[in-house]
Amino acid sequence: MGITGNFGITRSKHKKGNGWLVRLYLPGENKQPVAQHYFADKKHGGTDKALELAKVWRDEKTLEHGVAPRKRDGNGYFLKYNRGNEVSGIIGVNLIFSKNEHGGFRNLAWQARFMVNGKQKNKSYSIFKYGYETAWRLAAMERSRHDGQPIPEKAPDKPDWIPK
C-alpha cells in the first residue's frame, strides 16, 4: 500500500506507561475506528520496537479494511476521502452527509472549505434545499471566491445512492 510515516498512529502517555495507539477509520466514518490497538512500550521491548510493531499491525489492517491515508491540499488541511462518484472536481469542495439512527439522511450537502486569515472555514449547501447541481455550484462558487480557481462548467455525476 505504500504507507509512510505514522499515519493512524499517535503517541499515548499514561501514568501506568507509555505506548503507541493505532486507530484506523473507514472513508467517511469519523465516529468509531474500524481497527484499533495499543502497543505499550514496556510490553513490546521499548519505544522504537513498539512503534515498529504498531506500523506492521497498521499496514495489515489498512489492507484488510481498505483504509487509505488522507491527503492534504495545497493549503495544508485534509481533503475528504474519495468515495467513488462524489469527487467534486475542485479541491476543497466535498460531498458530505450524516445519517440518522434509522439509516436515512440527516444531512446531505456540498461543502466548500477554505482559509480566511489563516483559519480554516467551511460553508455547506444542502442538497435537500437547493438540489444536487445548484448546491454543488454554490459550493464551487464559494471556494472560487476564496482561491480564485475556475469553476468547472458541469457538476459531477450524481451518485446513485443519493435519494431523489
Side-chain angles (χ1 to χ4, degrees), residues 28-153:
E29 301 292 328
N30 295 322
K31 294 182 181 173
Q32 294 294 320
V34 69
Q36 178 173 304
H37 192 73
Y38 180 72
F39 294 85
D41 293 347
K42 193 172 187 179
K43 183 178 178 183
H44 294 94
T47 303
D48 294 338
K49 193 74 167 160
L51 177 58
E52 186 179 315
L53 291 170
K55 286 180 179 181
V56 169
W57 187 88
R58 177 217 41 212
D59 293 348
E60 290 173 0
K61 294 300 177 182
T62 56
L63 289 173
E64 180 181 328
H65 295 288
V67 175
R70 294 183 68 188
K71 296 177 181 165
R72 293 179 185 262
D73 75 358
N75 291 318
Y77 55 86
F78 286 114
L79 296 171
K80 294 283 186 182
Y81 283 105
N82 173 358
R83 293 185 297 247
N85 285 338
E86 52 200 77
V87 176
S88 69
I90 303 171
I91 290 176
V93 175
N94 305 289
L95 186 58
I96 61 169
F97 63 91
S98 61
K99 293 190 173 187
N100 62 30
E101 62 276 1
H102 305 294
F105 287 99
R106 180 178 338 159
N107 177 33
L108 180 60
W110 280 105
Q111 179 185 67
R113 295 171 52 148
F114 47 89
M115 301 295 278
V116 174
N117 297 327
K119 294 186 179 182
Q120 183 176 311
K121 304 286 184 182
N122 63 63
K123 185 160 184 173
S124 299
Y125 298 91
S126 171
I127 291 172
F128 298 130
K129 181 176 180 179
Y130 297 108
Y132 180 82
E133 289 192 30
T134 302
W136 174 83
R137 174 109 10 236
L138 290 168
M141 289 179 356
E142 182 68 30
R143 175 64 188 212
S144 179
R145 191 167 71 85
H146 294 280
D147 68 7
Q149 294 297 314
I151 302 168
E153 290 184 29

